[in-house]
Amino acid sequence: MSTRIRALLAAGCFMLLTGCASARTDAASFSEAKASSEASFSAGNAAVQAEAASEGTLTQADGYSISVITLLRTKNKNVRYLRFSGFGDEAAQKKWNDFYADAAYAAVGKAVSGDEIDDRFQVKTADASLISVYQENEYYFAGAAHPFTDVSTLNIDPETGVLKSLPTECDTAALAKDILAEQGYTITALDGEKSEYLTLDEVKNMNGITDEASLTALLNGFDLPADEKSGAVPDGWSYWEDGKVNLLFSVSHASGDWVVLHMDGSYRLSS
């Protein structure tokens, strides 16, 4: 993953979750960028302001809803964020709404004029006990030969707002065992397409996987940290769809930056 993509991700998605010194140092510049962005929207043309205020409901389930807000839409920048409503815990709802809004403002604040940004959201699961959201971001940095794609997910309890990360919810050792045995999953590109170039060897080589122990350790670093205190970028991401867990592994840019292992089961730990 490019340095600039990691910078955008760290500045946005993890600003609210990190307690490290580097994030505190960056807080002032982030606030300035957000204030500058807000001021430009207020002084900008009416069309952009109208887009920033528009909403579209992605899903409604069990008393809550998830909407997408367009923060900025221009010829080469489409920046949006999610808004939750109807959570059982209003403080948790505000935290995750701020999480997405601040990440969007950070992306706008750090992009330069020649950069292109396009982000998309999908709700993979929405029921009484789990919200599983997938975000895909495509970046084209001025002067780069090709665009880069980055992904992130959020898995939370809509009643409490508590994170449900892969290592807290799933048997990662069982996952590692089946993956290395090349059973119980299908590997595809982000768009769901299969390819002879998308192989387990590619995943292993790009992620330093040598055995079950190393893969288990990698899976234990997936998703936002359950303690919400680490400033580290996750080693990968997961989401649940139709009761099954899906794993997002980083791969080479030539292979599409990320691949998905669609597991045949949930691998959920017994409660």
Side-chain angles (χ1 to χ4, degrees), residues 10-244:
C13 290
F14 300 100
M15 175 145 321
L16 299 182
L17 301 179
T18 180
C20 64
S22 61
R24 287 197 298 270
T25 302
D26 196 54
S29 61
F30 168 77
S31 296
E32 292 172 2
K34 182 175 180 181
S36 176
S37 295
E38 289 174 329
S40 69
F41 296 146
S42 296
N45 63 63
V48 171
Q49 292 182 41
E51 289 290 355
S54 67
E55 295 188 34
T57 300
L58 290 178
T59 191
Q60 290 181 307
D62 294 290
Y64 65 85
S65 65
I66 306 172
S67 301
V68 61
I69 313 299
T70 300
L71 175 63
L72 177 64
R73 180 173 294 163
T74 65
K75 180 179 179 181
N76 62 350
K77 293 181 176 64
N78 181 24
V79 181
R80 302 183 296 171
Y81 59 91
L82 292 184
R83 178 175 293 168
F84 302 108
S85 63
F87 276 22
D89 187 314
E90 291 186 3
Q93 177 176 289
K94 182 180 185 303
K95 180 180 79 170
W96 294 118
N97 283 340
D98 289 347
F99 170 86
Y100 276 112
D102 287 354
Y105 274 105
V108 171
K110 287 185 173 289
V112 299
S113 59
D115 289 351
E116 297 181 15
I117 306 172
D118 185 30
D119 57 44
R120 298 171 290 277
F121 292 93
Q122 296 178 34
V123 178
K124 298 293 189 177
T125 297
D127 57 34
S129 62
L130 176 67
I131 291 174
S132 193
V133 179
Y134 167 82
Q135 181 177 1
E136 186 174 311
N137 307 285
E138 187 172 272
Y139 302 95
Y140 178 83
F141 298 118
H146 304 284
F148 289 84
T149 300
D150 203 10
V151 298
S152 61
T153 64
L154 184 68
N155 304 299
I156 55 174
D157 183 328
E159 182 65 25
T160 64
V162 172
L163 282 167
K164 294 191 170 187
S165 64
L166 184 74
T168 63
E169 296 297 308
C170 283
D171 185 339
T172 53
L175 277 166
K177 182 178 180 179
D178 284 352
I179 290 170
L180 292 185
E182 298 191 50
Q183 63 183 22
Y185 69 87
T186 302
I187 185 170
T188 74
L190 293 178
D191 61 5
E193 292 295 317
K194 300 178 183 178
S195 169
E196 61 182 302
Y197 302 107
L198 300 180
T199 65
L200 181 62
D201 284 341
E202 167 82 358
V203 173
K204 291 165 65 176
N205 292 337
M206 288 300 298
N207 292 276
I209 300 168
T210 57
D211 53 22
E212 286 184 24
S214 61
L215 178 51
T216 301
L218 183 75
L219 294 172
N220 285 335
F222 269 41
D223 299 332
L224 296 178
D227 61 9
E228 303 183 29
K229 295 179 181 178
S230 172
V233 175
D235 294 322
W237 301 92
S238 73
Y239 64 84
W240 278 271
E241 187 172 24
D242 297 327
K244 300 175 182 178

